[in-house]
Amino acid sequence: EKYFNRFPGVREYMEATTKSAREKGFVETLYNRRLYLPEINAANAMRRKATERAATNAPVQGTAADIMKLAMIKLDKWLSSSQLDAKIILQVHDELILEVKDCDVKKTSEGLKHSMEDVVELSVPLDIDIGSGANWDQAH
């Protein structure tokens, strides 16, 4: 109960999403990518509950993945057209790792911020943090 009190609207979201999933047999991301849930109405309570958890999580996590893909495409196009010595080398969940020549870090960081924060229009801002260093640990 403490969790639901801290985040108004979460319980309603979860209930509405689960109800919709039971009726349709799937949930969707903000960009209409679907996850089909054949076990959503299972007689076995453990399977049904696990699928209900997946139903409430998938639209949020899936939308985040969709946004990351769009940002990566936009960033790649920008990097390809720039004269910067920088390239995307890895994605780890909600992070991108780029290899950037020292002299291009500032300009690449500015382009990265613009590419990722402005890739979609939502009712809340997409804020990103940028770090740099010789390795992932230093960049954090």
Side-chain angles (χ1 to χ4, degrees):
E1 284 300 312
K2 288 181 183 179
Y3 178 81
F4 294 117
N5 292 337
R6 286 180 43 213
F7 301 100
V10 170
R11 182 188 306 273
E12 292 80 6
Y13 161 79
M14 292 174 70
E15 290 170 356
T17 301
T18 302
K19 181 181 178 201
S20 175
R22 281 194 191 109
E23 293 168 359
K24 297 178 181 177
F26 63 87
V27 291
E28 292 180 303
T29 68
L30 190 60
Y31 298 95
N32 301 315
R33 195 161 47 90
R34 290 182 179 180
L35 173 66
Y36 288 90
L37 303 161
E39 300 281 329
I40 193 70
N41 294 308
N44 180 299
M46 284 180 50
R47 287 185 178 177
R48 186 179 63 253
K49 291 291 185 186
T51 306
E52 288 173 359
R53 288 189 297 276
T56 58
N57 185 52
V60 176
Q61 293 291 337
T63 297
D66 293 346
I67 292 170
M68 178 59 89
K69 289 175 192 174
L70 293 170
M72 289 173 65
I73 292 166
K74 184 177 178 184
L75 177 61
D76 185 61
K77 287 180 182 176
W78 178 77
L79 286 172
S80 295
S81 68
S82 76
Q83 299 298 320
L84 301 172
D85 190 356
K87 63 183 176 181
I88 302 169
I89 59 169
L90 186 64
Q91 175 198 353
V92 180
H93 302 291
D94 63 345
E95 295 187 38
L96 290 179
I97 300 172
L98 283 72
E99 190 173 80
V100 182
K101 196 158 201 140
D102 287 340
C103 62
D104 290 332
V105 169
K106 186 174 192 282
K107 285 184 180 179
T108 302
S109 295
E110 291 166 1
L112 175 65
K113 188 168 181 64
H114 175 73
S115 293
M116 296 190 77
E117 288 184 343
D118 297 340
V119 72
V120 296
E121 190 174 322
L122 299 172
S123 61
V124 295
L126 289 178
D127 293 327
I128 67 162
D129 295 320
I130 297 175
S132 64
N135 57 53
W136 197 13
D137 187 44
Q138 288 179 2
H140 284 89

